[in-house]
Amino acid sequence: MSYSTADSLHPVTLDDVRGAQKMLTGVARVTAMEGSRHLSQLVGSPVHLKCENLQRTGSFKLRGAYVRIAGLLPEERAAGVVAASAGNHAQGVALASALLGVHATVFMPNGAPLPKISATREYGAEVRLHGQVVDETLAAAQEYAAETGAVFIHPFDHPDIIAGQGTVGLEILDQCPEVGTIVVGIGGGGLAAGIAVAVKAIRPDVRIVGVQAEGAAAYPPSLAAGRPVSVENPLTMADGIRVGRPGDVPFALVEDLVDEVRTVGEDQLAAALLLCLERAKLVVEPAGAAPVAALLAEPGSFAGPVVAVLSGGNVDPVLMQRVLRHGMSAQGRYLAVRLRLTDRPGALATLLGVLSTVDANVLDVSHVRTDPRLGLSEAEVELHLETKGPVHCTEVGQALREAGYTVID
């Protein structure tokens, strides 16, 4: 199936999204909508989480990939498809291709997380590792398409992809008809554009807020310029939205239909991921947590009811460990302190005794005696502590100073 939109000012219409929804019946899950009491209290109105992290393959990407590949002509399917991705799009293309009986070749960067590489292979795709960054991988995939005739499946810059992602918007309106604001992460813009097409056609009063990571925020300067512009060396742990340039097709839709694009920092992303895990019991990748990060940053600026789209849950366990520790630190629940003490028997035990009086849980201790910066009778100790928040961190520092220890900044 291929969509015809010649009678519309937009490359994707509500009819296209509804057609995609019919096509995805029995393929993509209608994902759950979970309420969040904590976020609702913070925002001052009901907040619901649209759980695309629980979609097949762990993200919304299956929707667009399936619609795009299903719309290929028989001779195009016979030639196979090729894609480039660090993870979510790769898995969506791999599963969609397997369901449709199409051979898929997926190029992934050499540094892609092993769980994502393994999952893509298990869905049936041929995986080729190339390059260190996605731009290099993308170039290799396009070269392969030119050489073999395989159809290149772009992750966001195609009307069929956007129509498929727009089915998330139709589900939101079914599950929360009274929605006032939808908050969604933006990378290339396919998901936000699709949701905006579907929702604005039915409920033009709904406010749609896009969220980007500060280190990969190409949309604010692009919207200011009135055309897609590139951000050099986009850098963020939210790899799902780490895109240096908006897609031409989604940009036009975002510019016209999305009410606002905000940015969030790495600390805010880490805190949001931690909140989803602790309060909602949901495993969410940093890109998927971006809408929650925006709610945490300015909770009073959203008209409710609010739906935050958790776009994916494919987080590498190693990254999850780092992010959780960073998130705990940002919330004042993890404290690293370095101090010097007199190097004599029992000195470390005395120090730990001081920490026990203020109920600080010691996670790790590094004890150095041989550094040339130290005096003959000095030792340096670095402690990693689990704390209960900013106030508790202050209490720990005060207790150490009152006990005569010099804390090194």
Side-chain angles (χ1 to χ4, degrees), residues 179-180 199-200 202-207:
V179 60
V199 172
K200 289 290 190 178
I202 300 171
R203 286 276 314 280
D205 59 304
V206 174
R207 185 170 180 81

Side-chain angles (χ1 to χ4, degrees), residues 51 63 121 197:
C51 300
R63 298 173 183 264
R121 283 180 172 145
V197 167

Side-chain angles (χ1 to χ4, degrees), residues 9 56 64 115 118 146 153-154 200 239 243 316 335 339-340 372 408:
L9 295 176
R56 295 177 72 177
S118 298
I153 306 299
H154 199 284
K200 289 290 190 178
D239 60 337
V243 177
D316 179 50
L335 178 66
L339 47 83
R340 290 183 183 178
I408 304 170

